[in-house]
Amino acid sequence: MNDDRTGLLPEDGLAGTLVARVWTSAAPAGPAVVVLRPEGVFDISRAFPTMSTLLDAERPAEAARAATGERLCAVEELLDNSRPGTRDPAHPFLLAPCDLQVVKAAGVTFAASMVERVIEEQARGDASRAQELRGKVQALIGDNLAAVRPGSDKAMALKALLQQQGLWSQYLEVGIGPDAEVFTKAPVLASVGSGEEIGIRSDSAWNNPEPEVVLAVNGRGDIVGATLGNDVNLRDIEGRSALLLGKAKDNNASCAIGPFIRLFDGSFGMDDVRRETVHLEVRGTDGFVLRGINTMASISRDPEDIVAQTLAAHQYPDGFMLFLGTLFAPIEDRGEPGGGFTHKLGDEVTIRSARIGVLRNRVTHSETAPPWRFGLRAFIANLAARGLLDGRSL
């Protein structure tokens, strides 16, 4: 199944438990929780009004498979209508698969990307200085950080050495120190799904995609599935100061998640997440092509540890989605020598995983992307108008 109509599916097709959110045009129009089956796309919103409700089921995968519902369309029809630039609002199309969950993200979880964060900081957001600094930083610390377990005695000894050399960085602190960097990536309901435009700020001149595995964690803190995400990174803005992280990360249409959540069942589980390889391809209207990979086996912190740190001093009663970080940090020049990579308008970004599927978006400016209008009040009012509340918990 790799043609345009089914190309968003995992390599094993519908063998796993795939759940998603789609926009339905049937009056009153609104988002529906669906399960993908060989027989078609089934709306199970009567049983589970929100994705948060489904993930809180005792056994989410079994609950999704057992739920009855209305057939909306064929799987091929849904995926065909969820390609960038071809969406017909009269027919179902994919949304981000999360709804009431907070969207969190872990940063600096891979050694290679950690070095790039140090370079961003040293360059103060100036891409033209990156190549020179890259050689200097790598000559001092190399790539052996991948073998250093964060928070270990070896990591603390390395920290002391780097401090003596004047190379210590806040990014190295969260990369090899005891505490993970976990931040809020996007407000509830603000993420875009596969096929929608993804936004970069118009005042950013150095930015890139970040292909990541995203965990689905329910209100009890259980990891119940995984999906893909693009944690768009504005390198120049964050490089000027880590205190600008909110400006660099949380903008209109800057968070893409999808295409669906693959729930943990007999065919897919946490060990598969740990072994997954995420492939990235960027195709520009100028003919430029960039490819990269994010190998989860190279992560410095175990995903379950990052989840535990996220939950250590906070509760998430509606669950959360957690970006796990990326190994990928592009350094290939797109324009002038030494300028590195940055997005151009119209870039098509494809993030692919054998076990999870394909997330595909087209780049635009955050300022001109479709504005985010459908917030919590609109969502609750919509559910009520469709008779999906009835005094039940969301």
Side-chain angles (χ1 to χ4, degrees), residues 242-298:
L243 297 180
L244 294 174
L245 182 66
K247 183 174 182 178
K249 290 290 190 179
D250 183 9
N251 300 292
N252 183 42
S254 66
C255 177
I257 301 179
F260 11 73
I261 296 172
R262 183 164 186 169
L263 296 176
F264 289 172
D265 58 15
S267 72
F268 181 71
M270 198 63 230
D271 285 340
D272 294 293
V273 170
R274 293 186 176 100
R275 292 189 293 263
E276 197 67 350
T277 296
V278 179
H279 298 266
L280 170 84
E281 181 180 87
V282 177
R283 286 189 172 271
T285 58
D286 57 354
F288 179 87
V289 178
L290 174 74
R291 294 185 177 91
I293 61 170
N294 177 21
T295 307
M296 287 298 298
S298 301

Side-chain angles (χ1 to χ4, degrees), residues 82-332:
S82 300
R83 291 182 294 167
T86 62
R87 191 170 69 189
D88 180 354
H91 299 282
F93 57 85
L94 286 167
L95 302 171
C98 52
D99 43 39
L100 298 180
Q101 298 91 339
V102 174
V103 180
K104 309 292 286 188
V108 202
T109 53
F110 290 80
S113 64
M114 176 168 46
V115 171
E116 285 301 308
R117 296 294 86 76
V118 174
I119 290 165
E120 286 172 15
E121 183 182 47
Q122 296 282 330
R124 298 293 187 266
D126 182 356
S128 65
R129 299 184 58 210
Q131 188 61 38
E132 174 189 353
L133 287 164
R134 190 171 290 114
K136 175 183 175 183
V137 171
Q138 290 181 338
L140 288 169
I141 65 177
D143 294 322
N144 64 335
L145 292 173
V148 179
R149 183 169 59 85
S152 66
D153 291 343
K154 183 178 180 180
M156 294 304 96
L158 178 59
K159 174 180 178 177
L161 175 63
L162 292 171
Q163 285 176 324
Q164 292 173 7
Q165 295 176 338
L167 192 61
W168 188 245
S169 161
Q170 57 202 336
Y171 294 104
L172 289 166
E173 177 64 48
V174 295
I176 65 175
D179 301 313
E181 178 194 17
V182 182
F183 58 92
T184 299
K185 168 63 180 179
V188 170
L189 290 172
S191 302
V192 299
S194 191
E196 298 185 75
E197 290 183 312
I198 192 164
I200 56 172
R201 292 177 62 102
S202 61
D203 56 354
S204 171
W206 187 22
N207 47 69
N208 63 261
E210 292 196 349
E212 304 188 23
V213 173
V214 183
L215 296 180
V217 184
N218 67 18
R220 298 186 299 274
D222 302 323
I223 307 170
V224 295
T227 184
L228 298 173
N230 187 350
D231 176 16
V232 177
N233 181 32
L234 308 184
R235 301 186 70 175
D236 48 358
I237 292 177
E238 184 182 355
R240 282 160 46 203
S241 170
L243 297 180
L244 294 174
L245 182 66
K247 183 174 182 178
K249 290 290 190 179
D250 183 9
N251 300 292
N252 183 42
S254 66
C255 177
I257 301 179
F260 11 73
I261 296 172
R262 183 164 186 169
L263 296 176
F264 289 172
D265 58 15
S267 72
F268 181 71
M270 198 63 230
D271 285 340
D272 294 293
V273 170
R274 293 186 176 100
R275 292 189 293 263
E276 197 67 350
T277 296
V278 179
H279 298 266
L280 170 84
E281 181 180 87
V282 177
R283 286 189 172 271
T285 58
D286 57 354
F288 179 87
V289 178
L290 174 74
R291 294 185 177 91
I293 61 170
N294 177 21
T295 307
M296 287 298 298
S298 301
I299 198 168
S300 301
R301 299 180 189 272
D302 187 77
E304 289 185 339
D305 175 61
I306 303 173
V307 170
Q309 291 207 35
T310 305
L311 291 165
H314 211 313
Q315 298 76 44
Y316 296 89
D318 300 312
F320 61 93
M321 307 297 290
L322 179 63
F323 281 74
L324 292 175
T326 185
L327 173 69
F328 176 75
I331 61 175
E332 181 179 345

Side-chain angles (χ1 to χ4, degrees), residues 32-47:
V33 178
V34 302
V35 58
L36 278 64
R37 297 168 177 157
E39 301 80 16
V41 178
F42 288 82
D43 179 356
I44 58 173
S45 300
R46 292 290 166 188

